Amino acid sequence: MRRREFISLLGGSAVAWPVGARAQQLAMPVVGFLSSGSKEPDTRRLTAFWRGLNETGYVEGRNVASEYRWAHDNYDSFPALTADLVKRQVAGIVTIGGEQSALAAKAATNKIPIVFVIDGDPVSIGLVDSINRPGGNVTGMSLMSSALESKRLELLSELMPKGTKIAILVNPDYPDTDFQLGSVETAASNIGQTIRVLNARTERELSTAFMAVVEQRAGAVLVAADPFFNRARDQIVALAARFEVPAIYESREFVVAGGLISYGASVAAAHHGAGIYVGEILKGAKPADLPVQLPTKFELVINLKVAKAIGLEIAPTFLARTDEIIE
């Protein structure tokens, strides 16, 4: 059973949102979406977002409209995409697919409200002033995935026979990569775990990285949190299966797709929360007064079918700590 949830969302003060209020008077408000990825991989997240927004009384096509902009992993396109949303005077901008889209939206406007869903720490990258008082026109949800890499290493190390080399797969272009590597290296030193670092920023490099896992005789892989890896989920899971390499991931979606194990916050819950925040803002709340929401619970998910396929035996004591077992 799953026992994971995000902390309850706080309501905002009833202060008029100029653009939104004017739009509601003249026509239905338009919510702009900015994603670093593409439509199909983001479908489930958007479904969760709209479910949250619906709960606040807004239904797409009835009393709110939408405009979508997809970067298709081309971060150089962000300035043009965000400029177009600003030009269209959308009532708010929702950013998904990582920190880059959120930073691009913030750089484009200091007036239009922005609600983000990111993996890392929004304060350290300058998105908000603080968690409790974001300030400005930006707030949102953080999965804090990058902060969990050390825990994922510990879990993977616990699953594997003692002395197993573990590779960590990172995207060198991701803003949190240095932090991820630093935390993993510290954790590895603390538990006496040998690690190997592999880089991938393209689909071709992913294939090369998994071949390197075999060549370097690493017995398992920690796939670090990264928006590109999320969008390449099916390819990564297929490569792990092809080379029969146990791997741990940041979210349940990887395990559902055929991955072995994941540990992290609920991605659906974060996007659902973003939808609720947008609804609150459309009703008059100010982003500066809406605290950034952080997960208080994390889910450990295991796919026993995958474990059996690669010949990995999971101890009953480990299974007893899991939140969901996929068989």
Side-chain angles (χ1 to χ4, degrees), residues 197-320:
V197 178
L198 301 174
N199 295 304
R201 58 171 66 85
T202 66
E203 293 179 358
R204 178 176 295 182
E205 289 179 355
L206 282 173
S207 298
T208 301
F210 271 88
M211 287 189 286
V213 169
V214 177
E215 294 171 358
Q216 296 182 19
R217 299 184 178 180
V221 178
L222 189 169
V223 179
D226 173 68
F228 165 62
F229 293 164
N230 271 310
R231 292 188 290 278
R233 182 187 311 127
D234 291 341
Q235 180 188 1
I236 292 174
V237 167
L239 286 167
R242 172 186 172 188
F243 293 104
E244 297 184 343
V245 179
I248 189 167
Y249 309 93
E250 65 168 304
S251 69
R252 175 181 181 273
E253 283 76 4
F254 280 91
V255 183
V256 172
L260 174 64
I261 181 173
S262 67
Y263 181 73
S266 170
V267 174
H271 289 78
H272 175 267
I276 292 176
Y277 258 19
V278 170
E280 293 296 325
I281 292 171
L282 287 172
K283 292 178 179 180
K286 297 170 60 178
D289 296 333
L290 295 174
V292 173
Q293 298 298 306
L294 306 178
T296 58
K297 300 291 184 180
F298 302 96
E299 54 188 10
L300 177 62
V301 184
I302 292 180
N303 190 320
L304 284 185
K305 182 178 179 180
V306 174
K308 182 178 180 180
I310 61 178
L312 181 65
E313 185 175 348
I314 311 293
T317 53
F318 194 98
L319 289 175

Side-chain angles (χ1 to χ4, degrees), residues 15 38-39 132 134 141 181 262 271:
V15 177
S38 51
K39 182 178 181 179
N132 291 328
M141 314 284 141
L181 289 176
S262 67
H271 289 78

Side-chain angles (χ1 to χ4, degrees), residues 61-278:
R62 182 184 302 172
N63 56 359
V64 66
S66 59
E67 287 279 349
Y68 295 92
R69 299 294 180 271
W70 316 98
H72 301 287
D73 293 319
N74 177 16
Y75 297 155
D76 291 337
S77 67
F78 277 140
L81 295 176
T82 52
D84 188 43
L85 289 175
V86 172
K87 182 179 179 180
R88 290 174 180 268
Q89 295 184 312
V90 294
I93 298 175
V94 178
T95 71
I96 59 178
E99 285 79 349
Q100 291 94 334
S101 56
L103 290 169
K106 181 177 181 179
T109 177
N110 60 3
K111 296 181 180 179
I112 297 176
I114 297 168
V115 175
F116 59 75
V117 179
I118 63 172
D119 287 327
D121 177 9
V123 178
S124 66
I125 62 174
L127 268 179
V128 297
D129 295 337
S130 70
I131 296 297
N132 291 328
R133 300 287 293 181
N137 62 318
V138 183
T139 189
M141 314 284 141
S142 173
L143 293 162
M144 297 304 289
S145 293
S146 295
L148 300 176
E149 303 299 359
S150 59
K151 179 63 176 179
R152 295 189 188 105
L153 177 68
E154 292 173 4
L155 289 168
L156 189 57
S157 180
E158 184 179 345
L159 278 180
M160 305 305 298
K162 189 174 182 180
T164 300
K165 295 180 182 177
I166 295 178
I168 174 171
L169 179 65
V170 298
N171 179 354
D173 292 341
Y174 182 53
D176 273 356
T177 295
D178 289 342
F179 173 78
Q180 291 172 331
L181 289 176
S183 63
V184 168
E185 289 168 354
T186 298
S189 177
N190 291 339
I191 63 178
Q193 175 65 57
T194 301
I195 61 172
R196 298 286 185 270
V197 178
L198 301 174
N199 295 304
R201 58 171 66 85
T202 66
E203 293 179 358
R204 178 176 295 182
E205 289 179 355
L206 282 173
S207 298
T208 301
F210 271 88
M211 287 189 286
V213 169
V214 177
E215 294 171 358
Q216 296 182 19
R217 299 184 178 180
V221 178
L222 189 169
V223 179
D226 173 68
F228 165 62
F229 293 164
N230 271 310
R231 292 188 290 278
R233 182 187 311 127
D234 291 341
Q235 180 188 1
I236 292 174
V237 167
L239 286 167
R242 172 186 172 188
F243 293 104
E244 297 184 343
V245 179
I248 189 167
Y249 309 93
E250 65 168 304
S251 69
R252 175 181 181 273
E253 283 76 4
F254 280 91
V255 183
V256 172
L260 174 64
I261 181 173
S262 67
Y263 181 73
S266 170
V267 174
H271 289 78
H272 175 267
I276 292 176
Y277 258 19
V278 170

